[in-house]
Amino acid sequence: MRIRFLHTESFRLTALYTAVFVVCVTALGASIPAVVDAAMRELIVQHSQADIAAINEGNVHEGPHEAVEVSAQLMAAVGHTDFLLLQKNGRVLAGNLPAMANRTGSFEIPNPAVPGHNILGAGTRLANGLYAFSGSDLVFVTVVRARIVPLLLWLFAGAIFVAALGGF
């Protein structure tokens, strides 16, 4: 016995509408985690560059001793980057990271305190032979992504339900 409803124009339009809606919601849902991830990474780098700029200001105007003091203040401040390094000739002057190669620009390094975690930040050479690195653990980006994906799946399920009901 054939089910007549499956062969009606109403059912076909509903199926087509649902399929188009599912494709659109899938494309949107797939792009959101990538966009949020990129935005959070850019925010981490911007905060790191701002910290380095503050250290550089102290260094340029009052010398290395002021750069050390600014570094200590930044580490004590709430809401700033998690990791900081101020070094000269491979010797740590301030911060909570071991000495490292003087890499410039934004990059990731392994977190020495927590295996498997990475630190994203920025490094630059400063006047007076100083090198500064500032960064944050990427675990926060991972946590946000882990919260977004289930939410998007629930929204996807709801969207399919609404799309299917829309044709009746």
Side-chain angles (χ1 to χ4, degrees), residues 26-122:
T26 300
L28 183 64
S31 65
I32 287 174
V35 169
V36 169
D37 188 77
M40 291 186 68
R41 292 174 75 86
E42 181 62 30
L43 187 64
I44 289 171
V45 170
Q46 287 177 359
H47 279 277
S48 297
Q49 290 170 338
D51 286 349
I52 291 172
I55 294 168
N56 190 44
E57 279 294 309
N59 183 40
V60 167
H61 290 102
E62 297 186 38
H65 67 281
E66 183 65 18
V68 170
E69 187 175 325
V70 170
S71 298
Q73 292 170 354
L74 289 172
M75 286 181 25
V78 176
H80 278 273
T81 52
D82 304 321
F83 296 94
L84 197 64
L85 170 66
L86 182 64
Q87 69 182 24
K88 183 173 185 174
N89 299 326
R91 187 175 65 84
V92 176
L93 301 177
N96 55 357
L97 287 172
M100 65 177 159
N102 293 353
R103 292 175 55 189
T104 60
S106 63
F107 55 91
E108 287 184 33
I109 60 171
N111 186 335
V114 184
H117 286 219
N118 285 337
I119 299 168
L120 173 64

Side-chain angles (χ1 to χ4, degrees), residues 91-168:
R91 187 175 65 84
V92 176
L93 301 177
N96 55 357
L97 287 172
M100 65 177 159
N102 293 353
R103 292 175 55 189
T104 60
S106 63
F107 55 91
E108 287 184 33
I109 60 171
N111 186 335
V114 184
H117 286 219
N118 285 337
I119 299 168
L120 173 64
T124 191
R125 291 179 185 90
L126 306 175
N128 299 321
L130 298 179
Y131 172 78
F133 174 84
S134 175
S136 292
D137 195 320
L138 287 173
V139 71
F140 302 113
V141 176
T142 305
V143 167
V144 169
R145 188 181 316 118
R147 289 181 180 170
I148 287 175
V149 170
L151 174 64
L152 289 175
L153 290 174
W154 278 107
L155 290 173
F156 180 73
I160 291 173
F161 181 72
V162 169
L165 287 179
F168 294 113

